[in-house]
Amino acid sequence: MADTTDALTAMVARGLIEDISQKLNESLEIQKKLLKLESKTGEIRQTKLIDDLGISAKTLKVWNDQGLTPINRGGSVFYLLEDLHKFNY
């Protein structure tokens, strides 16, 4: 029984490590893309952010729900690059 439990524990741990590794890699890729973005105002328009990062509007909505704050101005939505760098993806 102990061998079965140990094997199961090892499989669960391996899966968790793979999930964490994948999330970290995704976050690093987003950070690399963000570093390439330049803005005189320190902001990026929502549509450009979605295109440049290759994310969906749904992903951005999830990020908003998790605390990323959009700026609404003149019918357009912007994000501060500083906020994007600090955000935990």
Side-chain angles (χ1 to χ4, degrees):
M1 181 74 156
D3 290 339
T4 304
T5 303
D6 291 343
L8 182 58
T9 301
M11 288 183 351
V12 169
R14 191 174 316 116
L16 289 174
I17 290 170
E18 289 172 4
D19 287 347
I20 292 168
S21 177
Q22 179 182 350
K23 294 289 184 192
L24 285 172
N25 286 333
E26 290 171 2
S27 181
L28 286 173
E29 286 303 313
I30 290 171
Q31 286 295 327
K32 285 180 192 177
K33 291 177 182 178
L34 283 172
L35 288 172
K36 293 179 184 178
L37 300 178
E38 294 183 19
S39 168
K40 292 177 183 175
T41 63
E43 300 172 341
I44 185 168
R45 188 179 297 268
Q46 176 177 296
T47 52
K48 182 167 173 42
L49 178 65
I50 288 169
D51 289 342
D52 288 356
L53 294 185
I55 61 173
S56 68
K58 183 178 178 181
T59 296
L60 194 52
K61 182 180 179 340
V62 169
W63 292 355
N64 290 340
D65 293 344
Q66 293 175 345
L68 186 61
T69 306
I71 301 167
N72 295 298
R73 187 180 327 111
S76 295
V77 179
F78 298 85
Y79 291 88
L80 291 175
L81 290 172
E82 181 179 345
D83 290 348
L84 289 162
H85 285 293
K86 292 178 184 177
F87 188 70
N88 292 319
Y89 304 95

